[in-house]
Amino acid sequence: MNNFFKDPRFAGIEPFEKKVWLSSPTMHGEEQHWVDEAIRTNWVSTIGENIDQVERQMAERIGVKYAVGLSCGTAALHLATKLAGEKLYGQARPNAGTLQGRRVFCSDMTFDASINPVAYEDGEAVFIDTEPDTWNMCSQALEKAFELYPEVKLIVVAHLYGTPGKMDRIRQIADEHGALIVEDAAESLGAKYRLNGQWVETGTLGDYNCISFNGNKIITGSTGGMFLTDSVEDAQKVRKWSTQSREAAPWYQHEEIGYNYRMSNIIAGIIRGQLPYLDEHIAQKRAIYERYKAGLADLPVRMNPFDEENTQPNHWLSCLIIDQDAMAPQVRGEQDYSYASMSGKSSPQEILEALTAFNAEGRPIWKPMHLQPIYRSHPFVTRQGLCQGKNALDVGADIFQRGLCLPSDNKMTSEQQDRIIEIIHRCFR
Ligand SMILES: Cc1ncc(COP(=O)(O)O)c(C=O)c1O
């Protein structure tokens, strides 16, 4: 690690006294009231007013008929993926997943929780490359993938860092092939998308939709997630699966495999207190994005892009990507890295180290799934076709190499952000 305090480029910059986080929880006080209420009334388990209220309020806010409260976003994605598998291929035996022997097209640049449920259900993820203009699933690569694997009937799509992907085109392609969509809106709660001239929220765009209330998300329950749908049957099925698949018998009666995935009334209390602040958090995140954009405009970098006409991201994380010709050398191994400092240039690892030295938290771009050791043997399709060989086009790998996530905490002050912007400038000196 470079000693940034002895590096003359950083002369005069003081470290932050209190750490500036990437994205930490922001409590407002009402959370305490609803948690206390649950305890006072003895409704602390997986039934209660907080759960009923957040399910109702969330469904109304997002624009779906039903929201099912679950223990986390990963649980929501698992049950959504299983539901899709069952709809497509029928109920599986107790010792097998619903996707056994089936391929599923998946976003490549996302958190692994988006796509691990395909493996939980015994399917094989086929990774679809990323598009440079939204950093989400590339529709041209998806079309190529259907040429290679026309039998595929399921697509798992995530909206990275709160920026919606091009869902109208992805939906069109899915329909052409009779495929279903699992939408992972874990990072994009409150983001909007213009569909047929009308603004709708992410979490309404798939056949099965999921959100997360993880501690780093735009609002949080400390944990928690939801399955969103307009289908009463699907909502009932997910609610039943999430509570150990109990049948309506006087004793424990089971016709299906069950899970302990239901949201607790305590967690729901925190979410209930957070929900009124969703739009305020989005506005704060947007202001952070805009301040970075203006403050970094004179550097050879760009912010994470979005379609300004058809999307309103929630700007959960602000990111930058360094221009190709302003990249200083940077090499990453499996768990280590090295980089060189060069005048007028920099690299994500240098900027991340500088931020750490001054007590701020950035993060590398989510490493694409096709580069993960666990998934490296899976097919990866780019807009040129099946990706083979070292020099093949690979948009995701390029964004991972040149991009990074910036401190995006909504409690960061303008002064703190200006100092972060200054630190980044110094990296390019
Ligand atoms: C894109 C994405 N999908 C799924 C998840 C999983 O959600 P959870 O942590 O609530 O299980 C996360 C984050 O945690 C995420 O960022």
Side-chain angles (χ1 to χ4, degrees), residues 72-74 77 110-111 113-114 158 184 186-187 212-214 217 224 366:
C72 59
T74 309
L77 282 154
T110 184
F111 189 56
S114 303
D184 179 357
E187 298 176 2
S212 161
F213 301 107
N214 176 298
K217 295 295 180 286
W366 295 184

Side-chain angles (χ1 to χ4, degrees), residues 59-117:
E60 200 174 289
R61 159 71 204 235
I62 294 184
V64 290
K65 287 197 183 133
Y66 308 98
V68 182
L70 299 166
S71 55
C72 59
T74 309
L77 282 154
H78 183 192
L79 297 188
T81 304
K82 180 181 165 105
L83 199 55
E86 196 167 289
K87 185 129 329 170
L88 289 165
Y89 307 117
Q91 190 179 346
R93 285 175 291 112
N95 64 346
T98 52
L99 297 172
Q100 197 166 45
R102 313 288 184 171
R103 292 194 176 100
V104 177
F105 294 151
C106 297
S107 282
D108 181 53
M109 218 164 66
T110 184
F111 189 56
D112 68 343
S114 303
I115 55 94
N116 280 340

Side-chain angles (χ1 to χ4, degrees), residues 147-283:
E147 284 172 24
L148 293 163
Y149 306 105
E151 75 284 2
V152 170
K153 292 286 175 236
L154 183 58
I155 306 169
V156 180
V157 188
H159 307 292
L160 191 74
Y161 304 141
T163 298
K166 294 202 191 112
M167 290 304 290
D168 52 352
R169 186 66 197 120
I170 288 171
R171 167 59 73 191
Q172 228 174 22
I173 297 168
D175 288 350
E176 280 163 20
H177 295 87
L180 297 173
I181 297 175
V182 170
E183 185 194 16
D184 179 357
E187 298 176 2
S188 65
L189 181 59
K192 293 185 172 61
Y193 185 80
R194 202 209 301 261
L195 189 68
N196 306 323
Q198 287 217 321
W199 288 105
V200 296
E201 297 224 346
T202 60
T204 62
L205 297 164
D207 297 285
Y208 311 97
N209 313 299
C210 304
I211 54 174
S212 161
F213 301 107
N214 176 298
N216 65 12
K217 295 295 180 286
I218 196 135
I219 58 170
T220 183
S222 73
T223 182
M226 277 183 182
F227 171 77
L228 308 168
T229 183
D230 282 336
S231 155
V232 66
E233 293 82 18
D234 287 353
Q236 280 167 352
K237 188 79 148 177
V238 165
R239 196 171 284 121
K240 176 181 154 186
W241 282 349
S242 75
T243 49
Q244 303 290 16
S245 291
R246 289 177 64 178
E247 298 299 331
W251 44 80
Y252 288 137
Q253 176 90 1
H254 302 289
E255 293 174 10
E256 300 175 278
I257 289 291
Y259 304 85
N260 183 4
Y261 279 176
R262 188 74 167 130
M263 180 180 281
S264 101
N265 201 45
I266 299 277
I267 299 300
I270 304 177
I271 299 167
R272 192 174 176 185
Q274 288 266 287
L275 244 172
Y277 295 93
L278 175 56
D279 286 325
E280 185 179 309
H281 289 194
I282 293 173

Side-chain angles (χ1 to χ4, degrees), residues 292-309:
Y292 275 130
K293 192 173 174 184
L296 300 171
D298 57 335
L299 288 179
V301 304
R302 284 176 301 120
M303 298 297 294
N304 46 328
F306 64 95
D307 175 352
E308 298 195 16
E309 214 171 289

